Amino acid sequence: MCIRDRLYLASGAGTPEAQAEQTASLYRTVEALIATYQYVGFAMEAKGIVNFLALLQQRNVVVEDTYSTFDEGSTLEKINWWEDASELYAERMAEDDESLLGAVRCWKSLGEVSNILATSPERLGAMNTELLKDMDAHRADAAFLMGEWDAFDEICECEEVVNRLGPITKAAALIRVNKLQSAMHIVTSAKRELFDEFSDAYGDSYVRSYPHLVQIQHLTHLQEVVEYRRSLPDRREELRRLWSKRLKQMLPRPEYWRDVVAINSLVLSQEEDFHSRLDVASLALKTRPTGIGAHILLKLLGTSDLSAKDNWRTSNPFLLSAYSHYLYNQGTPELAEKAFSGLAQVLGTVHIKEMEAENRCAWGDCWLLLGEWSLQRNANRVDALRFLEKAAELNPNSSDAAHFLGRVHQSISASPEYKQDEAQRVSHITAAITSLFAAVRLSENKNSATLNILRVLSLWFANGHHGEVSDVMRHGIQLCSNTVWLRVIPQLVARMGIGSRTARQVLTDLLTRIGEAFPQALIYPLTVGERSGVKSKREVAEKALQGIRASQEDLVKEASQISGELVRMAILWGELWVEGISRAAKVANSHQEIIRILQGLFSQLSTPSSPNEATFVEQYRQHLSAAWNYLNRGDTNACLLYTSPSPRDS
């Protein structure tokens, strides 16, 4: 019987005392189940049970007095559903101090720390004295994360509040008043305790131990802050580089990164820590348009309103890009249009030659944004092409700029208006291949590189008869490493019989190059291909195998033998003859071509090597020998008549 049914039955039968005991027991079971779901990461299942319990209470299916400690808001908070929990707390926090504290905890977890400091003095004055100290501890955490040091220092003047702070915020409060030795003592003690917790969690799972590892790293960071305050300029520069590198290597989660920036702000100004703060703001704004990300962005812009027109006056391309991203991703067409037009207007007033050398890549990223947004808005592809060309010019090492530029050229080459202008179409195809090759070379993502290689192949196979396309392919192949082709070998092998002689030569050279570097990857497809009945495909396979034989002769010999046996076992003689006769019938007017197609099949009849082949020879030798005699006398019609299946044979 499921828990839901037992809960319903618990309210229906038995004495009130027995019913209450049974219901309370089931609640304890459900709470244990919720904790287990949360532990193993089944957040949706845990939330579903909580919502179901709340529904039962609303319908009076269970009596609240039997287990009065259940609260939907606090339970949702425990299983990290902070958004839903904060909404439930908000309904009661005007009158209930515990609900206010619950909402504050949820806001902190969501990054909405500005809401904590925005709590009105009147509401704080109405709180219970002990709960007010807990509230002040949360306000101190919020001020620390937001870099509001005046508010932080004022709150931490009360020693009882400081004692309620966590080790990181408490150490920061002591550093602010130059009690460095006390701060180091707190950090050391906290690290010792966390090491034990980390060790226990790591034995279970690295994922569950990672938050403990991050806390240890933050505490180490505080020790380095103390060292920074006592160090000479050279050592300070080393520490700043270390902090920046550590931030990039940390798992990109706002709750981790924001603590790093908050600790940095103990000793670094906004200008000294500009890029780290901007990275945190950009990361936080991806998940929530408000909160700590918006607060940091406001500070960097030096404004109090993120929609103000003066925000576009910034000359910093990094900040300009982040602000444009923020507006465009708000989800409203008006703000998206404002972001697009505002960024285009700013970039239109800055000449490329005037852009500082150290910021050229950042300006290129701004042009890249315009190009991407133009494509998303289905704007004029010519404008998108212009934006992306400037992005690639300013930031030649951007794989994204090269990727989108190649996609635009590919799209333009497929436009109906270029069907009559072949030269212009081919120029866009060559530009697309060049850009896509650059994206492959610059990309660190294997999947992205593979998709771009597949786009290159589709353009090449469709337009390989143009000499310009083959020349661009040769150049691109020389620039790319051999490893990028390993994931598209099936596509390359399938096109060994491509019609264009020029494209076939480039493909042969490419397969030879791959085969010399990675013979195991190509040996079996090529040994099968050299037995193909298609002449062009067979020639490509043979030439590629010649290149491999130069260094791996034994490997080619053994692979050819094995592949031959595999082919022989996979395809019976009857199937081979049906295919051969069908091909011969298509060239009935060419006596020499029919001989070339059927000669290999007739020669096999004298050397059967399996019971199935021996049975085939016994059944069809006389019939096929007569057909071969007619073919040698030049009577192709009689030959095909003899090899055509009779009703009895079929």
Side-chain angles (χ1 to χ4, degrees), residues 428-482:
H428 281 293
I429 291 172
T430 56
I433 293 175
T434 301
S435 297
L436 291 172
F437 265 128
V440 171
R441 191 177 68 256
L442 297 170
S443 177
E444 297 179 356
N445 186 311
K446 290 184 179 180
N447 292 331
S448 176
T450 301
L451 290 175
N452 283 324
I453 280 291
L454 290 173
R455 293 185 180 98
V456 168
L457 294 182
S458 66
L459 288 170
W460 176 31
F461 293 146
N463 304 279
H465 55 282
H466 293 286
E468 301 94 323
V469 175
S470 295
D471 292 341
V472 170
M473 282 298 303
R474 284 194 183 93
H475 181 69
I477 290 170
Q478 294 300 320
L479 295 179
C480 286
S481 67
N482 294 326

Side-chain angles (χ1 to χ4, degrees), residues 8-27:
Y8 275 107
L9 290 175
S11 64
T15 64
E17 294 79 6
Q19 176 183 328
E21 176 58 31
Q22 187 178 10
T23 304
S25 174
L26 286 173
Y27 265 127

Side-chain angles (χ1 to χ4, degrees), residues 281-294:
S282 300
L283 176 64
L285 288 171
K286 287 180 181 178
T287 55
R288 295 187 71 81
T290 58
I292 192 68

Side-chain angles (χ1 to χ4, degrees), residues 41-63:
F42 291 177
M44 293 297 295
E45 288 80 357
K47 186 192 176 194
I49 295 176
V50 174
N51 292 340
F52 181 71
L53 289 178
L55 182 63
L56 293 181
Q57 284 194 343
Q58 291 175 7
R59 295 179 176 177
N60 294 322
V61 175
V62 294
V63 183

Side-chain angles (χ1 to χ4, degrees), residues 287-315:
T287 55
R288 295 187 71 81
T290 58
I292 192 68
H295 175 78
I296 295 175
L297 188 59
L298 280 171
K299 278 196 165 185
L300 293 175
L301 288 168
T303 182
S304 59
D305 183 8
L306 283 175
S307 61
K309 293 182 179 180
D310 292 343
N311 295 341
W312 293 106
R313 294 182 180 179
T314 178
S315 60

Side-chain angles (χ1 to χ4, degrees), residues 410-574:
Q410 183 181 13
S411 176
I412 293 176
S413 69
S415 299
E417 58 263 29
Y418 286 102
K419 287 186 176 180
Q420 305 300 324
D421 192 346
E422 187 68 9
Q424 192 72 7
R425 190 181 74 86
V426 172
S427 70
H428 281 293
I429 291 172
T430 56
I433 293 175
T434 301
S435 297
L436 291 172
F437 265 128
V440 171
R441 191 177 68 256
L442 297 170
S443 177
E444 297 179 356
N445 186 311
K446 290 184 179 180
N447 292 331
S448 176
T450 301
L451 290 175
N452 283 324
I453 280 291
L454 290 173
R455 293 185 180 98
V456 168
L457 294 182
S458 66
L459 288 170
W460 176 31
F461 293 146
N463 304 279
H465 55 282
H466 293 286
E468 301 94 323
V469 175
S470 295
D471 292 341
V472 170
M473 282 298 303
R474 284 194 183 93
H475 181 69
I477 290 170
Q478 294 300 320
L479 295 179
C480 286
S481 67
N482 294 326
T483 56
V484 302
W485 301 101
L486 294 179
R487 303 181 77 177
V488 295
I489 282 178
Q491 287 79 4
L492 296 175
V493 171
R495 290 300 188 125
M496 287 195 301
I498 190 171
S500 169
R501 183 181 297 273
T502 307
R504 199 160 58 245
Q505 182 58 49
V506 176
L507 179 58
T508 302
D509 296 340
L510 175 58
L511 290 174
T512 303
R513 176 179 170 178
I514 299 171
E516 292 175 351
F518 305 100
Q520 292 83 358
L522 270 178
I523 190 69
Y524 284 113
L526 291 180
T527 52
V528 173
E530 71 175 346
R531 292 177 171 79
S532 172
V534 180
K535 181 180 179 181
S536 58
K537 188 173 183 179
R538 187 172 61 252
E539 289 177 349
V540 171
E542 290 173 350
K543 290 179 181 178
L545 281 173
Q546 287 177 3
I548 301 177
R549 281 193 180 96
S551 58
Q552 302 285 344
E553 183 175 358
D554 292 340
L555 177 66
V556 173
K557 182 179 178 180
E558 293 170 0
S560 297
Q561 183 179 358
I562 293 173
S563 65
E565 289 300 311
L566 291 174
V567 170
R568 190 180 64 80
M569 289 187 294
I571 305 177
L572 301 178
W573 277 10

Side-chain angles (χ1 to χ4, degrees), residues 48 71 79 126 160 162 189 219-220 234 265 293 345 354 370-371 383 386 408 523 578 598 609 637 640 648:
D71 178 73
I79 62 175
E160 292 187 35
V162 174
S189 300
L219 292 170
T220 304
D234 290 345
S265 63
Q345 184 176 0
E354 299 175 359
L370 280 185
D383 290 339
R386 178 168 56 87
V408 172
I523 190 69
V578 168
L598 298 180
S609 58
N637 291 329
L640 292 176
R648 177 180 58 82

